[in-house]
Amino acid sequence: MSFDALSREELIQRIRDLSDRLEDQTFLNIELRAIADLYDHTQEITRTELILAKETISAQDNLLHLTTRERKDARHTMDAFKNLQNLSQEELLHKNNTLQKILTINNEITGIPKKEILLSYILDSILPVLKAQRGILFVGKNNHFNPKYFKNFTKEEIFSPGFKGALSIVKETVRERSVILLPSKQKKIDTMLFLGATDVLCAPLKNKDETLGILYLDSSASDFAFTLQDAETLEIFTAQAAIAIQNSNLYYNLEKEVLDRTKKLRSAYKKIQFLYDEIEKDLKLAKRVQDTLLTQHYEKIDTLDFKIHYEPMARIGGDIYDICRLSDTVMRVFLADATGHGIQAALVTMLIKGIYDKVKLQQIPANEIMSQLGEEFFVYHSLNAFFSAIIIDIDISRNQIEFSSAGHPDQIILRKDQLETLSSTGKMIGLKKKIEYRLEKRSFSKDETLFLYTDGIIEEFNDQDEMFGDVSFMPFLESQKGLHPSFLIPDILQSLKEFTKGKKKEDDVTLLTIART
């Protein structure tokens, strides 16, 4: 279309349209240019990435190649480790088994007291554990040792020139007091000097202060060699074996000492038995003598009824009594208790009896008799002996008693309705030469009973540490008031037995009842 044919308005509109188009084209060109720049930049990046990717792939190829080689090396390493581990496990298992055997042997040897059996067992038991072919156990002291037990050796071989090298190793072990393993880096074995042995183990049996023995083991097997582990095992074993030997020595010494002491004890026992037999003879004689000293038969007054119980703690005792007649109507009763028990006290009573017999028939009051007895007895004060006593004169014509007591326990009169005590009137005899004693009097009528005793009955204890005299004695006598006295002694002895529950008496017991009938 020609622009000439257009009107002015159409031409202006066409110019405007073209202008708009031109603007759109310019913008498009700008966008295209930007896209082209972006494409160029993208192309540049892609080329760089391709280069980097190629390098990465190349590195990965190298890495893959390297890893494959390392894997092979690692596999070889793991295989070697597994082989080492299996070997270590075998060694550990072997070591464990060996130590278990050693422990078993050690437990057994500690229970063997006889030294000969022990030494033989030590050698016999260790040989198979360490797979040794031969062995010798040297025993001695002060660094001088001789072969005591040997296995697969003869004594001639041990002392032959062909064993000189082995003996030198034994001496070295004594000096060093440590295990020696041959061959070693420092020493080789000349089999000509070891009777053909190619491997040797030698260890001391030692404690802290001394060497008790030497254990020598060897082998000539071509496929065998002792190891350091064997040396360690032997060291453990010999340490325990040394303790067992030391204990065996102690046992031997103790056994010997026991035998010596047993021999001495038997000899001493024979002497003691002889002396005992002699003493038994003397005691039997002493008892017969003492029994004759005690009044068994006496001329009594018909209206007096005497009951006596004499029970020494041993075969003979320190209590003594005497009953004699002064006149037709008067009886004199004497009861004494020497301090102590047994033979010593019995000898004192014989002395007392001898002195009393010289003065007892004098027609003088009881207190004067007691004074004379005290003076005569004090002559023997060097014996350091003492005794308590009571003298009672019973006069039935006057229905009374006169008495004097030298430190004796309170004696009892059982009346129909009460108990009356006869207390001490002076000190014990033997304390000094001259002692004055009072004379006291009491009535003593028909149906009344005098109860005389020594302290042996009142000083017995029960299991609660209570004394019979404090708890049961007087209550028992209270219960006997007005009763017939025939059973007084057996009943009080039964009461004492129940109180002490049958326990053995700790003192002499003398009871004497005199009843007016």
Side-chain angles (χ1 to χ4, degrees), residues 268-286:
Y269 175 77
K270 289 180 180 179
K271 292 179 182 178
I272 292 171
Q273 186 64 45
F274 174 78
L275 293 174
Y276 176 79
D277 292 340
E278 292 298 311
I279 290 172
E280 275 291 301
K281 292 178 184 177
D282 293 342
L283 284 174
K284 288 178 181 178
L285 177 61

Side-chain angles (χ1 to χ4, degrees), residues 67-79:
T67 304
T68 302
R69 188 173 62 252
E70 287 181 343
R71 282 178 180 176
K72 289 181 181 180
D73 293 342
R75 189 175 293 111
H76 291 312
T77 303
M78 288 298 294
D79 290 341

Side-chain angles (χ1 to χ4, degrees), residues 62-101:
N62 293 333
L63 182 63
L64 182 62
H65 179 71
L66 179 63
T67 304
T68 302
R69 188 173 62 252
E70 287 181 343
R71 282 178 180 176
K72 289 181 181 180
D73 293 342
R75 189 175 293 111
H76 291 312
T77 303
M78 288 298 294
D79 290 341
F81 177 75
K82 286 180 180 179
N83 293 332
L84 181 62
Q85 189 176 36
N86 291 333
L87 181 60
S88 298
Q89 288 176 348
E90 289 178 4
E91 289 179 348
L92 287 173
L93 183 61
H94 173 70
K95 186 173 184 178
N96 183 59
N97 290 335
T98 302
L99 290 177
Q100 189 64 42
K101 291 177 183 178

